[in-house]
């Protein structure tokens, strides 16, 4: 999962920075304490050599003699360096203990946070101040995981409902087909005109049945089928022209027209089958949701870095709340199951997946006059 990989990489960097900071702090503190100990030793040596302690002898000769012997052993017989080393070793061990204690506290905090990450009873993860960046990332990931879990449950519910609807809808054309075919089979001397009409109706119902079965298969296999790209050099203009030609019968039937605008032939390295599926779906939507006797414009242009394809149709404005969800799995713009435009709600979700696998983007805009789908693909 991309989020998991990104979180792991960022977490590793944060921990490395934190450890580096702790080690640097340890070295600086050790150096400072070493200087302080040396300074104190030099200061005591200076004080001992410069001042007369006759008053201490007058007050208590035993204490004076003891201090004089101790002072001579430490500063004049080599014990001075030994004392410095002992003091530095003590300081080093204390600082090392503090460093290890801090590191283990970080490790414990990170370990505890991993348990809290998927605990639904804990809303916010708290880490030491030094790990504030990691704390923010973990909490962001926690919010995203909760959001994705809710979205997955919602999509599963939509998918289950859609399969039930499709199974129910399949019965209608199937019943009609059986009825008309039964009549054709039973009546041998049926008039030619009526026979032709019954065959035409049965054929239309069979097309509708095929469409519903394809929707059912798309719905059933969407989450289990991973999309892989097989890239090759392709002529984008030629591919779009072929797709437009395939829609000629339905365009003629609905008195609509597609205007294809481009200045130059564009070649790119991409998966032709997958991109064909994307443009087929977008053009089909443009035909279904555009006004009667209107033109659909497909504009293609490029610059040094990317190719832009805009598919524009005249039609009703798509409300903002629907436009924000238009690329979600199983989201149908027309929620009515009886609508001729109602599909499985997977077309745009699959289109988005395919475009993003090509490192591109797809977005939709809509106003009172027209709706525009914009695709950008890198060269």
């Amino acid at each position: 999962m991309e989020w998991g990989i990104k979180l792991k990489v960022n977490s590793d960097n944060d921990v490395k920075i934190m450890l580096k900071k702790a080690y640097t702090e340890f070295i600086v503190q050790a150096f400072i304490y070493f200087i302080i100990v040396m300074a104190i030793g030099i200061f005591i040596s200076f004080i001992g050599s410069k001042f007369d302690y006759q008053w201490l002898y007058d007050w208590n000769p035993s204490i004076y003699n003891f201090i004089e012997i101790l002072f001579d052993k430490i500063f004049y017989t080599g014990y001075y360096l030994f004392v410095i080393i002992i003091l530095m070793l003590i300081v080093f061990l204390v600082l090392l203990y503090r460093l290890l204690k801090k590191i283990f506290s970080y490790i414990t905090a990170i370990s505890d946070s991993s348990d809290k990450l998927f605990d639904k009873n804990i809303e916010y993860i708290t880490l030491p101040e030094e790990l504030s960046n990691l704390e923010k990332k973990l909490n962001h990931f926690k919010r995203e995981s909760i959001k994705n879990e809710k979205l997955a449950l919602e999509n599963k519910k939509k998918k289950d409902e859609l399969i039930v609807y499709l199974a129910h809808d399949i019965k209608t054309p199937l019943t009609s087909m059986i009825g008309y075919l039964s009549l054709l089979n039973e009546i041998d001397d049926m008039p030619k005109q009526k026979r032709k009409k019954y065959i035409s109706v049965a054929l239309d119902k069979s097309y509708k049945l095929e469409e519903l079965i394809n929707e059912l298969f798309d719905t059933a296999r969407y989450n289990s089928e991973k999309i892989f790209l097989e890239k090759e050099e392709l002529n984008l203009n030629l591919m779009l022209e072929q797709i437009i030609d395939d829609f000629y019968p339905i365009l003629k039937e609905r008195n609509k027209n597609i205007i294809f605008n481009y200045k130059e032939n564009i070649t790119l390295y991409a998966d032709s089958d997958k991109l064909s599926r994307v443009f087929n779906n977008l053009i089909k939507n443009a035909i279904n949701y555009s006004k009667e006797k209107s033109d659909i414009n497909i504009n293609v242009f490029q610059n040094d870095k990317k190719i832009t394809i805009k598919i524009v149709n005249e039609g009703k404005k798509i409300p903002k709340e629907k436009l924000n969800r238009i690329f979600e799995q199983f989201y149908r713009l027309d929620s009515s199951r009886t609508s001729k435009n109602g599909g499985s709600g997977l077309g745009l979700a699959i289109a988005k997946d395919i475009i993003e696998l090509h490192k591109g983007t797809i977005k939709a805009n809509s106003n009172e006059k027209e709706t525009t789908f914009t695709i950008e693909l890198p060269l």
Side-chain angles (χ1 to χ4, degrees):
M1 184 178 179
E2 185 178 345
W3 257 107
I5 295 170
K6 188 181 291 185
L7 178 70
K8 183 180 185 303
V9 171
N10 290 337
S11 300
D12 288 344
N13 289 336
D14 288 337
V15 172
K16 287 177 182 177
I17 292 170
M18 177 270 297
L19 290 175
K20 186 178 180 180
K21 184 179 178 182
Y23 293 144
T24 303
E25 184 180 330
F26 167 75
I27 293 170
V28 170
Q29 286 182 350
F31 179 75
I32 291 172
Y33 281 115
F34 173 76
I35 296 298
I36 291 173
V37 170
M38 290 293 293
I40 290 172
I42 294 170
F43 178 75
I44 293 173
S45 176
F46 175 79
I47 294 296
S49 62
K50 294 294 182 181
F51 290 89
D52 183 11
Y53 292 92
Q54 183 64 38
W55 60 271
L56 182 60
Y57 179 82
D58 294 339
W59 175 65
N60 193 323
S62 298
I63 293 176
Y64 177 84
N65 291 330
F66 173 77
I67 291 175
E68 185 178 28
I69 293 169
L70 182 63
F71 193 88
D72 289 342
K73 285 186 176 182
I74 291 175
F75 289 97
Y76 297 109
T77 59
Y79 285 109
Y80 171 70
L81 293 176
F82 178 75
V83 172
I84 292 293
I85 291 170
I86 293 297
L87 289 175
M88 283 305 303
L89 182 60
I90 293 171
V91 170
F92 176 81
L93 291 174
V94 171
L95 292 176
L96 182 61
Y97 169 76
R98 289 175 57 187
L99 173 65
L100 293 175
K101 184 179 178 182
K102 182 181 287 188
I103 290 174
F104 280 115
S105 70
Y106 292 157
I107 294 171
T108 302
I110 294 171
S111 177
D112 292 342
S113 69
S114 64
D115 296 330
K116 296 175 183 177
L117 195 58
F118 299 102
D119 190 339
K120 296 179 182 179
N121 297 320
I122 297 174
E123 294 184 1
Y124 193 84
I125 298 170
T126 304
L127 292 176
E129 185 178 352
E130 293 85 349
L131 297 173
S132 58
N133 287 336
L134 180 59
E135 178 184 302
K136 291 176 183 177
K137 290 168 186 173
L138 285 172
N139 283 300
H140 178 71
F141 181 70
K142 185 177 179 68
R143 290 192 296 269
E144 287 295 317
S145 65
I146 292 171
K147 178 182 175 183
N148 290 336
E149 184 180 1
K150 289 180 179 177
L151 185 60
L153 290 173
E154 184 180 342
N155 286 338
K156 184 179 182 302
K157 182 180 177 183
K158 288 179 184 176
K159 180 179 177 180
D160 293 342
E161 289 175 351
L162 189 60
I163 289 174
V164 172
Y165 287 142
L166 287 171
H168 179 268
D169 288 352
I170 285 172
K171 292 181 181 179
T172 303
L174 184 60
T175 302
S176 295
M177 284 173 60
I178 292 172
Y180 284 109
L181 291 174
S182 296
L183 289 172
L184 289 167
N185 184 56
E186 291 170 2
I187 304 173
D188 294 331
D189 57 347
M190 181 180 293
K192 185 177 180 180
Q193 194 66 26
K194 186 172 285 190
R195 179 181 292 274
K196 184 178 180 181
K197 178 184 176 181
Y198 285 0
I199 290 173
S200 177
V201 172
L203 184 61
D204 287 341
K205 297 298 180 183
S206 68
Y207 288 146
K208 180 62 178 176
L209 182 61
E210 181 187 33
E211 184 180 333
L212 290 169
I213 290 172
N214 287 336
E215 282 188 41
L216 186 60
F217 275 117
D218 281 343
T219 303
R221 74 189 179 189
Y222 178 72
N223 286 324
S224 61
E225 184 183 75
K226 188 172 180 63
I227 300 174
F228 293 98
L229 298 183
E230 296 180 4
K231 292 185 176 182
E232 60 183 355
E233 290 286 336
L234 67 93
N235 186 314
L236 180 63
N237 308 66
L238 181 60
M239 182 180 73
L240 287 169
E241 286 175 348
Q242 291 172 345
I243 294 171
I244 292 168
D245 286 342
D246 291 339
F247 282 104
Y248 177 75
I250 191 171
L251 288 167
K252 185 176 181 181
E253 179 186 341
R254 301 189 186 185
N255 295 315
K256 296 181 181 182
N257 187 38
I258 292 179
I259 300 174
F260 185 28
N261 302 304
Y262 65 92
K263 293 182 178 180
E264 57 184 325
N265 282 321
I266 297 173
T267 302
L268 72 156
Y269 190 67
D271 188 317
S272 58
D273 290 336
K274 301 298 188 302
L275 283 186
S276 177
R277 186 175 184 181
V278 170
F279 294 122
N280 195 292
N281 184 275
L282 292 176
I283 293 171
K284 182 179 179 182
N285 282 348
I287 293 171
N288 286 337
Y289 292 101
S290 59
K291 292 179 181 179
E292 290 294 329
K293 299 181 180 179
S294 63
D295 291 335
I296 297 161
N297 287 279
I298 300 176
N299 306 312
V300 179
F301 48 91
Q302 74 174 60
N303 57 28
D304 294 337
K305 295 181 179 180
K306 65 184 178 181
I307 301 165
T308 302
I309 305 101
K310 291 181 178 288
I311 299 175
V312 187
N313 69 271
E314 296 180 30
K316 291 182 181 179
K317 179 181 179 180
I318 302 175
K320 186 176 179 181
E321 61 275 11
K322 290 188 175 183
L323 200 64
N324 291 336
R325 301 186 60 192
I326 203 168
F327 294 105
E328 290 181 12
Q329 299 173 23
F330 308 112
Y331 183 78
R332 302 172 71 251
L333 191 59
D334 189 338
S335 58
S336 172
R337 285 301 308 167
T338 59
S339 170
K340 66 180 180 179
N341 298 330
S344 63
L346 281 175
L348 291 177
I350 293 172
K352 185 173 184 287
D353 287 345
I354 292 171
I355 294 300
E356 289 181 348
L357 281 173
H358 282 86
K359 308 298 181 184
T361 60
I362 180 172
K363 60 183 179 181
N365 293 293
S366 187
N367 54 39
E368 301 295 341
K369 183 181 178 182
E370 61 189 24
T371 296
T372 303
F373 281 86
T374 304
I375 294 172
E376 292 183 345
L377 294 168
L379 283 171

